[in-house]
């Protein structure tokens, strides 16, 4: 058996949560492989809305088990809080003993660094993501499995704080003493112990037993640490390849890849965004799409569909198809636009350059439409909306397998 994979194609918030929830009904295992509680995945079922940050979006399928892989950085505090809204996840949620922890000091460092960066701030979610991955890479991090011996872990942390005392003081960060650290870790250990597992073996076993496994990406391709708009990115490998590292899979374990993409484009946080519309159209997209961050509540920057970036993202992830989300948000525009190339220093460019600064988007314009909201059959879409979808397939070189016309499960067209 191979795993199927869902990945964000733009700057996150494409609607991954809706699709994973929808697809999870047909899977036995749903796994997160990177990111942390910077993610915010909204799921709407009838009149209920759920925001998930760390727990995989398959949690609403009572028959599926959910895995938080080693590539995820876990704030035990955030996870414990999120778990409280679901009664009894024992046996349905497994946390990799190899996943690194986000502790209070990572969050404080993240926020202090953002303050110190001033006008050059990345606009992080302030959840400690960068410092936690930093600790992992520089080999001073701590893994969830270490909660099995909180005495030893508290000693190790206090020793680390002592060594770097001057740096913590310079950032105005209060460091905990041994007793404080130990009692915090004991709370985490008590709450999380029943869920800590060798998830690498668990995923392998699931595949050996022919279970259907779905992998859920967080963030999006343009926020990838290597392939995104560095340094205005998150600190993990958000692309499909990240799933191998973040779960202990081989590339041969990955089967079908679905890229999740909005019918327009948004970004939250700072950094270049070639198709951003700072005028009225951007405002309308934000208003109609309710574009406010699920995690931080910040307004998202809005603009037109960037086919150059999507084509790049589709190739890098190996997308078999795209799920085209929020088509309904384009209802009511006289004209809609797709950026099919960039102008850089007077030259036409159709590939994604290393830097997205100082780019002029070259647009193609199309007639708009009305009435796509809630449509669940392709035949019922307005002709101009159908033409827009066809154009997206043409310019990105990737077929569209699903069109989403509203947040609810039922507001979906499967092609
Ligand atoms: P994720 O981070 O990729 O899971 O996406 P978010 O949940 O952060 O943001 C997507 C938002 O769009 C959520 O509020 C969804 O409920 C909503 N949404 C998803 N699909 C559609 C759609 O087709 N139309 C509309 N209008 N909203 C949608
Ligand atoms: P989901 O999974 C959108 C952005 C932040 C910031 C940058 C770095 O819901 O799509 P970080 O806190 O990760 O160090 O911030 O990444 N960012 C997201 N933007 N959706 C997300 O997740 C994001 N997670 C991080 O806004 O620009
Ligand atoms: Mg989100």
């Amino acid at each position: 058996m191979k795993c199927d994979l869902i990945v964000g194609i733009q700057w996150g918030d494409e609607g991954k949560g809706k699709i994973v929830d929808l697809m999870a009904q047909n899977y036995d295992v749903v796994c997160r492989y990177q990111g942390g509680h910077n993610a915010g995945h909204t799921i709407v079922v009838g009149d209920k809305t759920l925001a998930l940050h760390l727990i995989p979006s398959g949690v609403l399928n009572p028959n599926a088990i959910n895995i938080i892989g080693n590539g995820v950085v876990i704030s035990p505090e955030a996870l414990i809080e999120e778990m409280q809204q679901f009664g009894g996840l024992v046996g349905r949620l497994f946390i990799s003993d190899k996943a690194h922890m986000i502790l209070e000091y990572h969050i404080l460092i993240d926020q202090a660094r953002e303050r110190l960066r001033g006008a050059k701030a990345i606009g992080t979610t302030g959840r400690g993501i960068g410092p936690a991955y930093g600790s992992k890479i520089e080999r001073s991090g701590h893994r969830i499995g270490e909660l099995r011996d909180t005495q030893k872990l508290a000693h190790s942390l206090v020793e680390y704080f002592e060594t770097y005392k001057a740096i913590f003081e310079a950032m105005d960060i209060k460091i905990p003493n041994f007793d404080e650290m130990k009692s915090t870790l004991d709370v985490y250990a008590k709450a999380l112990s029943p869920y800590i597992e060798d998830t690498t073996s668990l995923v392998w076993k699931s595949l050996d037993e022919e279970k259907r496994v779905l992998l859920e990406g967080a963030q999006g391709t343009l926020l990838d640490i290597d392939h995104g708009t560095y340094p205005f990115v998150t600190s993990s490998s958000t692309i499909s390849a990240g799933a191998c590292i973040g779960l202990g899979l081989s590339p041969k374990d990955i089967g079908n890849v679905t890229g999740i993409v909005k019918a327009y484009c948004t970004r939250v946080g700072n950094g270049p965004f070639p198709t951003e519309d700072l005028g009225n159209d951007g405002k309308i997209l934000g208003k109609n799409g309710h574009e406010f961050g699920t995690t931080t509540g910040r307004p998202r920057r809005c603009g037109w569909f960037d086919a150059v970036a999507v084509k790049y993202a589709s190739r890098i992830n190996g997308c078999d198809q795209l799920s085209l989300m929020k088509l309904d948000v384009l209802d009511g525009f006289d004209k809609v636009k797709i950026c099919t190339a960039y102008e850089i220093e007077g030259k036409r460019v159709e590939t994604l350059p290393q830097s997205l600064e100082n780019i002029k988007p070259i647009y193609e314009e199309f007639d708009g439409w009305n009435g796509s909201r809630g449509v669940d059959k392709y035949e019922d879409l307005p002709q101009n909306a159908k033409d827009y979808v066809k154009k997206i397939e043409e310019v990105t070189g990737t077929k569209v397998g699903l069109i989403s016309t509203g947040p609810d499960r039922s507001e979906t067209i499967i092609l």
Side-chain angles (χ1 to χ4, degrees), residues 44 57 94 102 199 224 254 276 284 292 300 318 354 358 369 398:
V44 180
S57 302
F94 297 92
I102 300 183
T199 58
D224 182 89
I254 311 291
E276 181 171 19
I284 295 170
F292 292 91
R300 296 172 183 150
Q354 180 258 324
N358 304 318
W369 61 85
T398 316

Side-chain angles (χ1 to χ4, degrees), residues 101 222 237 266 415:
M101 281 188 280
L222 300 171
S237 297
T266 65
L415 296 166

Side-chain angles (χ1 to χ4, degrees), residues 84-369:
Q84 273 162 7
Q85 58 189 313
F86 305 98
L89 283 173
V90 177
R92 288 195 54 219
L93 177 69
F94 297 92
I95 306 165
S96 169
D97 51 6
K98 292 188 280 191
H100 277 251
M101 281 188 280
I102 300 183
L103 296 172
E104 179 71 9
Y105 72 98
H106 291 121
I107 295 171
L108 296 172
I109 292 174
D110 189 7
Q111 294 170 358
R113 280 189 190 151
E114 282 290 88
R115 278 196 305 275
L116 294 169
R117 284 184 189 118
K120 290 186 180 152
I122 289 165
T124 73
T125 58
R127 301 296 195 264
I129 305 295
Y133 278 114
S135 295
K136 170 176 168 174
I137 298 299
E138 68 165 21
R139 293 157 297 182
S140 65
H142 291 283
R143 311 205 274 186
I144 285 279
E146 292 176 63
L147 288 175
R148 292 176 180 131
D149 185 347
T150 54
Q151 180 81 11
K152 188 171 164 204
L153 178 56
H155 269 301
S156 172
L157 280 162
V158 168
E159 205 175 274
Y160 175 77
F161 294 146
E162 273 304 313
T163 311
Y164 295 98
K165 203 170 167 186
I167 297 175
F168 286 112
E169 276 172 6
M171 285 194 183
D172 216 8
I173 293 173
K174 186 187 167 294
I175 50 179
N177 62 34
F178 178 84
D179 289 343
E180 288 166 340
M181 200 68 246
K182 171 88 168 57
S183 68
T184 303
L185 295 173
D186 283 339
V187 173
Y188 297 165
K190 186 161 185 271
L192 298 181
S193 288
Y195 305 93
I196 301 174
E197 182 72 43
D198 166 10
T199 58
T200 307
S201 297
L202 183 58
V203 181
W204 291 351
K205 186 166 169 274
S206 304
L207 291 173
D208 290 347
E209 290 173 355
E210 310 253 304
K211 299 255 167 68
R212 291 155 303 174
V213 179
L214 182 63
L215 314 179
E216 173 184 15
Q219 288 81 50
T221 301
L222 300 171
L223 288 170
D224 182 89
I225 186 73
D226 285 276
H227 301 286
T229 50
Y230 192 90
F232 297 99
V233 291
T234 189
S235 297
S236 64
S237 297
T238 61
I239 59 170
S240 55
C244 292
I245 296 157
L247 285 159
L249 292 167
S250 95
K252 291 175 187 158
D253 289 317
I254 311 291
N256 196 278
V257 178
T258 303
I260 313 296
V261 63
K262 268 181 199 168
Y264 51 101
C265 196
T266 65
R267 168 161 212 177
V268 58
N270 302 328
F273 178 3
T275 62
E276 181 171 19
D277 189 301
L278 295 166
N280 208 32
D281 288 347
K283 281 201 191 83
I284 295 170
L285 289 170
K287 184 166 172 283
N288 293 355
H290 304 290
E291 295 295 356
F292 292 91
T294 312
T295 297
T296 58
R298 291 179 290 176
R300 296 172 183 150
R301 299 154 64 192
C302 298
W304 297 106
F305 189 90
D306 184 340
V308 181
V310 174
K311 193 174 171 187
Y312 164 87
S314 178
R315 172 65 183 85
I316 217 160
N317 289 297
C319 289
D320 293 289
Q321 66 275 315
L322 299 173
S323 290
L324 187 67
M325 310 302 291
K326 302 188 99 163
L327 187 69
D328 55 294
V329 174
L330 296 179
D331 281 1
F333 279 98
D334 280 345
K335 298 277 180 195
V336 291
K337 294 197 276 190
I338 294 179
C339 164
T340 49
Y342 297 150
E343 188 186 311
I344 305 173
E345 292 172 359
K347 291 200 189 79
R348 183 183 169 93
V349 174
E350 291 183 13
T351 51
L352 205 81
Q354 180 258 324
S355 164
L356 290 192
E357 305 278 1
N358 304 318
I359 279 175
K360 196 171 150 216
I362 300 172
Y363 287 112
E364 284 185 39
E365 211 171 62
F366 307 90
D367 289 332
W369 61 85

Side-chain angles (χ1 to χ4, degrees), residues 12-17 38-42 52 219 292-295 300:
D13 302 324
E14 297 91 349
K16 299 176 289 294
N38 50 347
H41 302 165
T42 315
L52 294 170
Q219 288 81 50
F292 292 91
T294 312
T295 297
R300 296 172 183 150

